[in-house]
């Protein structure tokens, strides 16, 4: 009976393995089909609104986003809004961590981070400046050591936001109206290099409503920067 029991057990294990493999293949196929359909919807959207859809384009701003992945742009939509060239893209990079388990065996885990990135071209070039929200460590450092090199002098703004620049004095690009817009929450974190203004947020390009929600606030930054307000 024992050989027969073993045979049944092995047959059962084999059946389970087949089901698992079949299920995994089905999931991969379904995910691939949905991704093709998603990109096709964006291709059609671009055609409808006079924009251009490009997969895996060469982009200049990948060193200004998390991960700095030069090949991380999955696809991009380019067009013109209020007379300015605009690009909205989906970007990703994968973070890999290695550790050793309690049994002494190495373990590797990977996590892919995905962002929606928007860039707008300005009508003139600017020095390299970046504005982002202060996180806990930055706030603590400011509380302990006082204002940093690129403080604007506006106490509430400097408490909530941090300016990075290529040289001291360039924080003066942020005029009163732009500072007020940050404090009101109507504009995002951004960076500028030359004539290219950039912002990004975590997520995927799934909903066309994301396009104006990214582009319009960045347009406000562009207008206020150029007017020096």
């Amino acid at each position: 009976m024992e050989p027969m029991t073993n045979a049944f057990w092995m047959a059962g294990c084999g059946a389970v393995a087949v089901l698992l493999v079949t299920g995994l293949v089905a999931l991969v196929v379904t995910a691939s089909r949905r991704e093709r359909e998603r990109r096709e919807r964006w291709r059609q959207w671009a055609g409808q609104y006079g924009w251009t859809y490009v997969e895996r384009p060469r982009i200049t701003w990948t060193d200004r986003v998390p991960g700095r992945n030069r090949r991380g742009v999955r696809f991009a939509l380019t067009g013109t809004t209020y007379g300015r060239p605009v690009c909205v893209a989906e970007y990703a990079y994968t973070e890999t961590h290695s550790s050793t388990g309690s049994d002494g065996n190495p373990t590797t885990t990977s996590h892919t981070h995905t962002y929606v990135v928007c860039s707008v071209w300005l009508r003139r070039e600017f020095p390299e400046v970046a504005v982002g929200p202060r996180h806990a460590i930055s706030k603590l450092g400011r509380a302990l050591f006082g204002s940093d090199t690129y403080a604007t002098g506006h106490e509430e703004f400097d408490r909530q936001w941090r300016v990075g620049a290529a040289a001291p004095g360039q924080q003066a690009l942020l005029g009163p109206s732009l500072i007020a817009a940050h404090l009101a929450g109507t504009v995002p974190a951004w960076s500028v290099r030359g004539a290219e203004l950039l912002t990004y947020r975590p997520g995927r390009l799934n909903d066309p409503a994301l396009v104006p929600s990214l582009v319009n606030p960045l347009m406000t930054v562009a207008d206020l920067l150029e007017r020096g307000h």
Side-chain angles (χ1 to χ4, degrees), residues 85-122:
V86 175
C87 174
V88 178
E90 186 172 288
Y91 162 87
Y93 77 96
T94 300
E95 206 170 27
T96 302
H97 299 281
S98 298
S99 60
T100 303
S102 57
D103 57 0
N105 293 323
T107 301
T108 301
T109 57
S110 297
H111 179 69
T112 297
H113 304 267
T114 306
Y115 296 85
V116 179
V117 184
C118 177
S119 64
V120 169
W121 284 88
L122 304 172

